[in-house]
Amino acid sequence: MSDPFDGTERSLGQLVASATAEMSALVHDEIALAKAEIRQDVKRGAIGSAAGIAAAVVLLFSLPMLSFALAYAINAWTGGHNGHGGWNLVWCFLLSFAFNVLVAGLLGAIAVAKFKKVKPPEKSIASAKQTAAIMQNAKPHPRPEPRPALDKASVVARSSV
């Protein structure tokens, strides 16, 4: 009679251990992939947030100083420095405000562009869906029929023997 376990066939325990190890490795690989994709999107989101915050800071803190400097520069450029009057200071201040809004709009557009590049971890989702589809097709190992429950009297009688 030949030995059924001659090294070419594995025992049930070995098969279960192998399947468990492979499943664990697959889950770890999917988690690592998700982390890598999310890390990249978080970096893009951080850059977009920084650009948005920079736009708000530029508009808020530099607006008075830039407005005054630019308004008086426009007035001087239009002839106000030589006594001929130049443009009215109201128009000069409105032009300086428009310039500040233009700079803030540019920084805001950069922020929006960076936020649009943030996307869900598509590779991880596809891999998880593929794994779920494979696992749905897997059939569980047939279980033996459960034994009929013993009544309490026989259990007590057996334990006292």
Side-chain angles (χ1 to χ4, degrees), residues 32-46:
L33 176 63
K35 282 182 181 180
E37 286 183 326
I38 289 172
R39 190 176 298 124
Q40 184 180 24
D41 286 340
V42 166
K43 184 186 280 186
R44 287 181 185 147

Side-chain angles (χ1 to χ4, degrees), residues 118-129:
V118 175
K119 55 188 174 193
E122 295 168 357
K123 292 178 185 175
S124 298
I125 292 171
S127 178
K129 284 181 180 179

Side-chain angles (χ1 to χ4, degrees), residues 3-126:
D3 183 17
F5 300 106
D6 60 356
T8 59
E9 295 183 20
R10 296 190 291 178
S11 70
L12 179 62
Q14 291 171 332
L15 290 173
V16 168
S18 175
T20 303
E22 289 176 12
M23 227 12 199
S24 176
L26 177 65
V27 168
H28 285 290
D29 289 345
E30 286 184 3
I31 290 171
L33 176 63
K35 282 182 181 180
E37 286 183 326
I38 289 172
R39 190 176 298 124
Q40 184 180 24
D41 286 340
V42 166
K43 184 186 280 186
R44 287 181 185 147
I47 292 171
S49 295
I53 291 169
V57 167
V58 165
L59 185 62
L60 184 64
F61 291 118
S62 70
L63 190 60
M65 184 177 59
L66 288 176
S67 293
F68 277 96
L70 189 58
Y72 283 108
I74 292 170
N75 183 270
W77 180 65
T78 58
H81 66 287
N82 59 10
H84 290 84
W87 287 1
N88 190 341
L89 278 177
V90 171
W91 293 112
C92 297
F93 277 104
L94 285 174
L95 282 174
S96 69
F97 174 74
F99 175 76
N100 289 331
V101 169
L102 180 70
V103 169
L106 179 64
L107 290 172
I110 291 170
V112 168
K114 290 296 180 181
F115 281 128
K116 284 186 177 181
K117 288 184 179 180
V118 175
K119 55 188 174 193
E122 295 168 357
K123 292 178 185 175
S124 298
I125 292 171

